[in-house]
Amino acid sequence: MATLSLSRLQLVVDRFEQVEARMGATTETDEIIALSKEHSELKPVVDKAREVMAARKGLEEAETLASSGDAEMAELAQMEIEDIKDRLPDLEQEMQVLLLPKDVDDAANIVLEVRAGTGGDEAALFAGDLYRMYTRYAQTMGWKVEVVDASEGDAGGYKEIVANIAGDGVFGHMKWESGVHRVQRVPATETQGRIHTSAATVAVLPAPENVEIEVKPEDIRIDTMRSSGAGGQHVNTTDSAVRITHLATGIMVTSSEKSQHVNREKAMEQLKIRLYEKERSERDAERAEARASQIGTGDRSQKVRTYNYPENRVTDHRIGLTLYSLDKIVTGDKLNDVVEALITEDRARKLAAMEAN
């Protein structure tokens, strides 16, 4: 592992001290908010940098004492040297992780889309299972879930469901879920006991606050239609649902609340989020070399995970992870085991790329 230079560590400390000094001097509300955010982000990095610097200084002092010629002091110094050398690699590694480039959207809320794929009614049932898994996971993480639009399957589950999930660091955890999820199990309608394979597609879109996307009236078409509401069938029978189509890109969004005015606002918000995601995807495509060192999130056509019910097995194909705890993962209780494994692998790849440069 490459050793971080003292100058790089000192730069982090210097910036933190500059932010603290400015926070004590400014009276501008917007600047105070921005500085407070930067301060909270820098604090754990600076704490670790100071810990690394103190350990290095302690090692130098102990090595000086060890060569002082005083036998008793040399023995104590040698014990100190061994202790610091045991701790320092871990401190350096933790510091490297904290300095890794961060996804600017990791702290953002998300729009979650789950759609039934191949498999007919069974695919819709599986889409429902995935959505319940995510809502349960959101509860364990303290996040808030709000359904935006839903189309129920004929036999249950969902042909499609769209929801907003808000909370601390939602996108940073949920971005790994984008892609094709496969299920292998015996459907309830299967009389011969044969295992079927069905699929559902998951899309996770970052929804940062105050998305700065301009949408001109002439660039969109707004349609109203009859809605049964997101809360179940035939909840609302007025023409209140709103669909907005972005003419240049063909992006289409729908909101199905009871109020047409609310639906217009929510649909416009969803459109801006999708346009933001389109820009984000285009930027990622331009950084193809950087993406080569990443696990690969956001591609809706990528097969990411298989859920095998007969074997109680979940396999994430991107990192070769297999867990025999499907029953606990699909309830959301153990989904974080998969998420944390993906985060760890992503960090390892970024560290390897950093050391290679």
Side-chain angles (χ1 to χ4, degrees), residues 89-277:
D90 288 339
L91 292 176
E92 296 268 8
Q93 175 89 9
E94 291 163 7
M95 190 69 228
Q96 290 270 28
V97 169
L98 288 170
L99 288 174
L100 286 174
K102 291 180 174 59
D103 188 327
V104 294
D105 290 322
D106 273 356
N109 299 329
I110 66 165
V111 174
L112 171 70
E113 302 175 346
V114 184
R115 293 184 175 86
T118 55
D121 289 342
E122 174 64 10
L125 290 169
F126 178 50
D129 292 339
L130 288 176
Y131 178 70
R132 281 187 292 275
M133 176 179 75
Y134 294 133
T135 55
R136 170 59 183 158
Y137 180 56
Q139 289 174 359
T140 65
M141 298 294 287
W143 301 335
K144 180 183 177 182
V145 180
E146 177 190 17
V147 174
V148 175
D149 195 31
S151 174
E152 297 176 356
D154 296 334
Y158 296 101
K159 294 177 183 177
E160 176 183 4
I161 184 162
V162 180
N164 293 331
I165 303 182
D168 185 22
V170 181
F171 185 69
H173 285 78
M174 288 290 292
K175 64 184 178 181
W176 315 106
E177 298 305 305
S178 288
V180 177
H181 295 240
R182 296 192 314 164
V183 62
Q184 296 170 333
R185 64 186 177 188
V186 179
T189 55
E190 171 57 54
T191 58
Q192 303 297 319
R194 292 172 296 188
I195 296 173
H196 288 222
T197 298
S198 303
T201 301
V202 175
V204 176
L205 287 65
E209 294 182 15
N210 304 318
V211 177
E212 296 181 3
I213 297 288
E214 182 183 5
V215 179
K216 297 178 181 177
E218 60 267 27
D219 293 339
I220 59 175
R221 184 179 71 244
I222 301 178
D223 300 306
T224 58
M225 52 194 166
R226 194 169 297 275
S227 168
S228 62
Q233 300 217 0
H234 312 300
V235 172
N236 178 30
T237 56
T238 63
D239 293 335
S240 64
V242 170
R243 181 175 62 213
I244 299 179
T245 304
H246 189 254
L247 302 176
T249 62
I251 294 173
M252 186 183 301
V253 294
T254 305
S255 183
S256 306
E257 299 292 332
K258 292 185 179 181
S259 165
Q260 189 174 118
H261 176 71
V262 170
N263 284 332
R264 280 177 178 261
E265 289 184 352
K266 287 195 171 185
M268 186 61 71
E269 181 183 327
Q270 295 292 316
L271 176 61
K272 288 182 178 180
I273 288 169
R274 280 157 178 75
L275 290 171
Y276 176 83
E277 168 63 12

Side-chain angles (χ1 to χ4, degrees), residues 23-44:
M23 285 175 68
T26 185
T27 57
E28 296 292 329
T29 302
D30 289 345
E31 187 179 11
I32 290 171
I33 292 171
L35 288 169
S36 297
K37 181 180 179 183
E38 186 177 0
H39 184 275
S40 64
E41 291 174 349
L42 281 174
K43 182 68 163 61

